[in-house]
Amino acid sequence: MFFTKTHNFNSPVSKADLKKRLMGSHVKIHNLDFEIMEREGDVLIIPHAEQEESIKTLPITHVDMTEQGGKTKVKVTSKMRKVDSGGPQLILIFCIFIFLAAFVLRLVGGDWNVTFILLGADFLIFSFFLYRLQKGYFDYVRKVRAYVVEKGDGLVSSSMHAQVAI
């Protein structure tokens, strides 16, 4: 899906040690708390948005780890919460509908001005939608991924830590 992001990396840290580093801790990103827990052998990073008043689109992140010859192959997959996915999907469907309407209008010989107005409106709506996703949802995804990579490297990078602490 469009809102699912996957990142793979190899860690010099063992699977058990990486789990120990991640488990039970909390990550604070943009004053929102993310809890790290284990469920059915997978490590999950789940946002605590119960007290949140504003509407936010938040990710649930799965961290899958596999031992491979002294290294750990880590796969970080972030998906949009089902509760949050309705609005973005509606906006995408709306943008596709406007684009198809402009295309069909052009095929049946409609006015060029109306076609360009529809395409321009579609472009503006979709651009604003992508901008908001990049500043919100995908920013959370990037910072959670950076946190997992930092814990998996075995090295504490000050720039990475500063990025996660924001």
Side-chain angles (χ1 to χ4, degrees), residues 126-144:
F126 192 70
S127 297
F128 182 71
F129 171 66
L130 283 180
Y131 172 75
R132 292 290 305 232
L133 275 179
Q134 288 297 326
K135 296 298 269 182
Y137 173 74
F138 290 121
D139 190 40
Y140 285 114
V141 169
R142 285 188 297 270
K143 289 182 177 166
V144 167

Side-chain angles (χ1 to χ4, degrees), residues 20-154:
K20 189 174 81 175
R21 288 180 184 192
L22 290 172
M23 293 305 303
S25 61
H26 289 261
V27 182
K28 197 161 196 92
I29 301 171
H30 297 300
N31 295 323
L32 186 63
D33 187 41
F34 285 78
E35 183 179 355
I36 302 172
M37 62 179 62
E38 185 174 12
R39 187 182 302 158
E40 299 174 6
D42 290 340
V43 176
L44 298 175
I45 303 174
I46 300 173
H48 282 279
E50 293 86 22
Q51 293 85 14
E52 195 62 39
E53 304 274 328
S54 62
I55 298 172
K56 291 187 183 251
T57 305
L58 300 169
I60 293 178
T61 305
H62 297 266
V63 181
D64 297 321
M65 295 171 271
T66 309
E67 288 279 354
Q68 287 185 340
K71 289 186 177 182
T72 304
K73 183 178 179 185
V74 182
K75 180 179 179 184
V76 181
T77 305
S78 295
K79 295 179 183 178
M80 190 176 291
R81 297 185 309 172
K82 290 188 190 300
V83 171
D84 298 336
S85 64
Q89 287 177 351
L90 281 175
I91 293 171
L92 277 178
I93 291 169
F94 182 70
C95 286
I96 291 169
F97 177 73
I98 291 175
F99 180 79
L100 290 175
F103 183 73
V104 168
L105 183 66
R106 197 57 237 141
L107 282 179
V108 296
D111 187 21
W112 275 103
N113 291 334
V114 176
T115 302
F116 286 134
I117 289 172
L118 283 175
L119 288 175
D122 186 40
F123 177 75
L124 282 175
I125 292 169
F126 192 70
S127 297
F128 182 71
F129 171 66
L130 283 180
Y131 172 75
R132 292 290 305 232
L133 275 179
Q134 288 297 326
K135 296 298 269 182
Y137 173 74
F138 290 121
D139 190 40
Y140 285 114
V141 169
R142 285 188 297 270
K143 289 182 177 166
V144 167
R145 180 184 65 213
Y147 179 78
V148 173
V149 169
E150 175 189 343
K151 292 294 184 180
D153 276 345

